[in-house]
Structure formats: structure tokens, C-alpha cells
Amino acid sequence: MMKKLLALAIAGMMVLSLAACGGGSSSSSSGSSSGGGSDASSGSGGGSLTINIWDSNQQAGLQQIVDEWSAESGVSAKIEVIDWDNYWTLLEAGASGGQMPDVFWMHSNTAQMYMENDLLLELDDYIANDADMDMSVYYPGIVQLYTRSDGKVFAIPKDHDTIALLYNKAIFDEYKVDYPTDDWTWDDMYEAAKKITEASKGEIYGMAMNTSNNQDGWYNLIYDYGGQLITEDHKGTTIGSAEGKAGMEMVRKLLTVGAPQSVVAETGTDSLFQSGKVGMITQGSWMINSFYKAEHHEDYCWALLPYADLNGNKQCDEGERQSCYNGLGWAAAANTSNPDACYDLISYLCSEAAQKKQAELGVTMAGIEGISEEFGNAFEGMDVSAFIRMEDFTLYFRPYTRNTTVWEDKIQQAGAFLDAWQDPSDPAKMEAACDNAQAIIEAAIAAE
């Protein structure tokens, strides 16, 4: 069992620099201000809980919410931030026989393995006895993610995220290029990037994208053009279809006017953007703080993702503008010494009041549908409403299978999409990469 988890953790270290969260739109309350239905103080007689997360940008806001719960429950709880790579290493070590934190985040890359191996606290009985808990108010893709095949629930949705286009208006002004609008297609993005790259004689790149920019980058073009990286039943892929290839052909076209792979590999897309070397990148809502706190943040603006005008009618029809969404889940260790307090905290954090507050504080958007409006106003001087407005279009859940990291890593490497990234001038290489990715994903799913 733990051998499987060790392999998973090692693979997970290779994916993402910061992990993301999750997306959709409805109403209703998941809980009162007191959160859960269990009595935390009676389950612990006071005591304390350890909470582990991996994003320092969220720590202060979440700790504020946790402190409010502690004041009501009598249970102290401190959030500890562990960087992404070490987070999974330490969690796996705890699962192997050490000590796991009481409460922690789960992610789509790893949830299936942890649930299958009974390492997370089963929440079904707690949910059934919690009059304030209504699982139907959360984004369905996130609920499904943290529900095992036998119907048991192991985490409650913490948040969701969407993707938007980030541009540097100073660069656009310098090279006299019009700013992105809601009417932009991917071809419009290509033309703007081309103008910047050519006008600067290659000193500034119009855009940048890496193979690792999947949820926040090229995945979205696959879906805009009608493909699916992973089918909705999580048992196949259409990346090698005509639709999948059309989306990746648009990616290839963008790469021809963007930063070369050698430059991106050395510096990274975010660093290139913040150093003024790149005019545009796509990025997820979980990364806003990195740009909001950056030196030249006054020049940074967010816009809707472009769309694919498949029928040429110059308007965005249903399905032509899509954003990937993901969602973290609040989970607890199966062997925690205080399961009642753990659930009470999780229920509190996932209540409507707490999730509204995390949006207002700019921590992240809510896991409950339709209550994230205030997130758009959480960053004074920077309009991030594009992330909220993306919800008016099509959202699809971040592609995953039982062991996502196996195929996710392989399709980014040589023998798949890295070949096309390194030589985007050759359409045949991108087409071959799609065929190879199809075979890689199918083989990985068959081996699961």
C-alpha cells in the first residue's frame, strides 16, 4: 500500500510549482457561523489541532478564520505552511507510520490514492448528523473528486479557481498594441503577441507558456476546440482527435511568437512576466497574490481568457470559451486523536459564512457555488473580476484519473509535447505529440 503512495508522492513532486483549487454557480448555505454539527470541545476537552497547507499566501486569512472557530470551540489550532514538494513527502511519511497532521488539504493529483488506502477520516456519519451541512451547494466536480467509488466522502470542498489572461499594459503601450478585450479570440492573442515580439526585435516576447502550464494554460485550448484531455468518465482521452489537435495547433501557433522553450525552462513564465520580458501569460486565481505584491503590479491587468471562434461568427458561443477549475478539499487524518474536533473545524471552514469571508479576504474563491463575488474586490487597485466573470462561460473540472501524475508528467516530456515546444515551427511535431500523448494516457489508464 505505502509503496504505491511513495511512488505517487515522488511523481507529485514533479508537477506544478504551486497547486491549484477548483469552479461553477448557485446559492444556499452550507452552515451557520458555528460551522459543524459535532461538539469539538466535548470531543477534545479543549486541546489543539495541527493544520497543514502549502500556500503561504493563504495562511494569514485562513488563520483568522480558524481563530474565530477556536474562540467558539475552545480548541486551539495552528496552520503550518509546508512547501508543495515537502508537503506530500511529509504527508506520505506520516501515512507510512509517522504522525500525520490532524487537518490538511487534499488535491486532485493525490486524493484517489489516499482515499483508497483509508488514510483519510470518513466524513459520512458526521455529514449525516450535521443539520447545517448540505453537500449539494458545492461545485459538483469537487464533491465527486473527494467521494470514493463506494460513495464515502473524505474531504469537503474548500474552494475553487478559474483561469484568466494576465497582461502588462506598459508593454502594450510601448509597442502600441490594443489591450485584450472580452471579444478576443486565440487568434487575436496570437496577433498581439506577434506584434510585440516583432516590434521589440525579440527583446520582449509577446507571450510565454510552458508544458507545465497545463491547468492554467494549454489544457483550456484543448477544451475550447472541442477536445477532452481526460473524458468525463475518467477512462479515456480525445487529445489525439481532430478537435484535440486543433486546440494544440493553436498552442503551437502561439508558441511561434512566444518565449522559446529554452528561455522558459531557464527562467519560468511568471519570472519572465515580472521581469518585463513577456507581455502576456495565462494564470490561475490562486496566483493573484504573487502578481499583486510584485514590484510593477500597477502595470498588470487581468482579462477573460480568449475564445475559439469555431464557426467564424465573431461571437463567443457556448463551449468556445472554457476555463479549467479545480478545488482543494479539507480532510483529516483517519487516525487523528480528535476526529470530532477535526470535523467541526472542517465544517466551520466550509460553511457559507467562512467561505464568503475567505473570498472577501482575498484568500481564494469559495467551494460553494455563487458566493465568490467579493473576491473580485479583494485586491485594492487591481481588478481581478475576470476570474469571477469566467464563471459565466463553460467550466470543466481539472482532468484527473486514479493516478494523474503518471501520465501528466509523461506528456510534458520528450516523446510528447516537449518536442513540439522545443520546435514549434513544425506543425507535424505537434500533431505527432498529440498522437503520442493519446497513447501515453491510454496506457497509463489501462495500468491503473
Side-chain angles (χ1 to χ4, degrees):
M1 174 185 77
M2 297 318 307
K3 185 176 181 182
K4 290 182 181 178
L5 279 173
L6 178 60
L8 176 69
I10 292 171
M13 292 179 202
M14 305 170 70
V15 186
L16 312 174
S17 59
L18 260 184
C21 324
S25 137
S26 194
S27 58
S28 195
S29 168
S30 72
S32 66
S33 61
S34 63
S38 61
D39 183 350
S41 57
S42 67
S44 65
S48 63
L49 298 179
T50 58
I51 305 170
N52 280 8
I53 68 174
W54 59 73
D55 185 357
S56 60
N57 286 323
Q58 298 191 36
Q59 183 178 19
L62 289 176
Q63 187 66 61
Q64 182 177 333
I65 297 170
V66 168
D67 288 346
E68 293 171 359
W69 171 81
S70 292
E72 294 185 15
S73 67
V75 182
S76 63
K78 182 180 180 181
I79 296 175
E80 299 177 2
V81 177
I82 315 293
D83 69 87
W84 169 262
D85 285 353
N86 286 316
Y87 183 94
W88 298 107
T89 302
L90 293 173
L91 198 62
E92 187 271 327
S96 297
Q99 186 171 354
M100 296 176 74
D102 294 299
V103 176
F104 47 92
W105 287 349
M106 265 289 110
H107 186 273
S108 56
N109 278 4
T110 54
Q112 299 301 312
M113 296 295 284
Y114 276 85
M115 292 190 298
E116 286 176 12
N117 289 294
D118 296 317
L119 295 170
L120 307 180
L121 180 67
E122 291 183 18
L123 302 180
D124 299 78
D125 288 343
Y126 287 105
I127 292 170
N129 293 318
D130 185 350
D132 293 321
M133 179 58 65
D134 179 3
M135 296 298 289
S136 70
V137 303
Y138 299 98
Y139 286 98
I142 312 173
V143 174
Q144 180 184 0
L145 171 64
Y146 300 118
T147 302
R148 202 166 63 183
S149 57
D150 59 4
K152 294 184 182 298
V153 178
F154 291 88
I156 298 177
K158 169 194 173 289
D159 54 30
H160 84 284
D161 50 47
T162 57
I163 314 302
L165 177 66
L166 179 62
Y167 65 97
N168 186 326
K169 64 181 181 181
I171 291 176
F172 276 69
D173 290 343
E174 182 176 354
Y175 296 106
K176 297 179 174 56
V177 178
D178 292 337
Y179 299 152
T181 71
D182 292 357
D183 297 323
W184 259 31
T185 65
W186 290 108
D187 282 303
D188 290 323
M189 180 176 171
Y190 165 79
E191 293 296 338
K194 185 172 184 285
K195 287 178 183 177
I196 292 170
T197 300
E198 291 180 350
S200 70
K201 295 182 169 46
E203 291 295 313
I204 307 293
Y205 301 108
M207 58 80 64
M209 189 183 295
N210 199 355
T211 54
S212 62
N213 300 131
N214 47 39
Q215 176 186 347
D216 56 327
W218 54 274
Y219 278 10
N220 300 293
L221 284 91
I222 295 170
Y223 285 78
D224 281 357
Y225 281 83
Q228 291 183 315
L229 186 68
I230 297 295
T231 53
E232 292 181 5
D233 61 5
H234 308 287
K235 295 180 180 179
T237 177
T238 66
I239 185 63
S241 68
E243 293 81 5
K245 288 178 177 178
M248 293 309 296
E249 168 58 19
M250 188 68 242
V251 171
R252 183 200 67 80
K253 188 175 175 181
L254 286 166
L255 293 174
T256 63
V257 294
Q261 173 63 26
S262 57
V263 174
V264 171
E266 181 178 340
T267 308
T269 55
D270 293 354
S271 294
L272 284 169
F273 185 88
Q274 291 183 11
S275 63
K277 297 293 292 181
V278 164
M280 291 177 283
I281 60 173
T282 56
Q283 190 50 274
S285 53
W286 64 93
M287 288 294 291
I288 292 173
N289 256 304
S290 296
F291 300 99
Y292 182 65
K293 297 175 181 178
E295 182 178 359
H296 300 290
H297 65 271
E298 66 277 0
D299 291 327
Y300 301 164
C301 297
W302 298 94
L304 291 176
L305 284 179
Y307 72 96
D309 190 12
L310 299 181
N311 58 13
N313 66 354
K314 301 189 183 304
Q315 65 181 31
C316 182
D317 296 318
E318 185 175 356
E320 291 183 339
R321 189 194 322 265
Q322 300 201 35
S323 170
C324 190
Y325 83 94
N326 197 14
L328 303 185
W330 282 113
N335 63 354
T336 177
S337 61
N338 201 339
D340 289 350
C342 288
Y343 176 76
D344 195 82
L345 173 58
I346 290 171
S347 181
Y348 187 96
L349 288 165
C350 296
S351 68
E352 180 173 340
Q355 293 209 345
K356 277 185 174 179
K357 185 158 189 174
Q358 75 173 1
E360 292 168 1
L361 293 172
V363 174
T364 187
M365 295 188 287
I368 297 174
E369 295 187 279
I371 65 167
S372 297
E373 292 86 352
E374 288 304 313
F375 185 79
N377 304 317
F379 301 88
E380 185 177 355
M382 178 179 279
D383 180 4
V384 301
S385 62
F387 292 103
I388 305 296
R389 293 193 297 121
M390 279 302 305
E391 296 177 353
D392 295 332
F393 299 92
T394 303
L395 301 182
Y396 66 93
F397 197 72
R398 185 176 187 268
Y400 71 92
T401 64
R402 180 176 175 272
N403 203 347
T404 303
T405 52
V406 171
W407 55 263
E408 187 178 64
D409 182 62
K410 285 183 179 179
I411 64 173
Q412 295 175 26
Q413 305 304 318
F417 288 117
L418 183 61
D419 301 335
W421 247 262
Q422 290 177 331
D423 183 12
S425 65
D426 186 354
K429 287 189 176 180
M430 183 61 82
E431 184 173 4
C434 290
D435 290 332
N436 293 341
Q438 177 89 19
I440 289 169
I441 294 171
E442 288 177 342
I445 291 174
E448 292 180 345

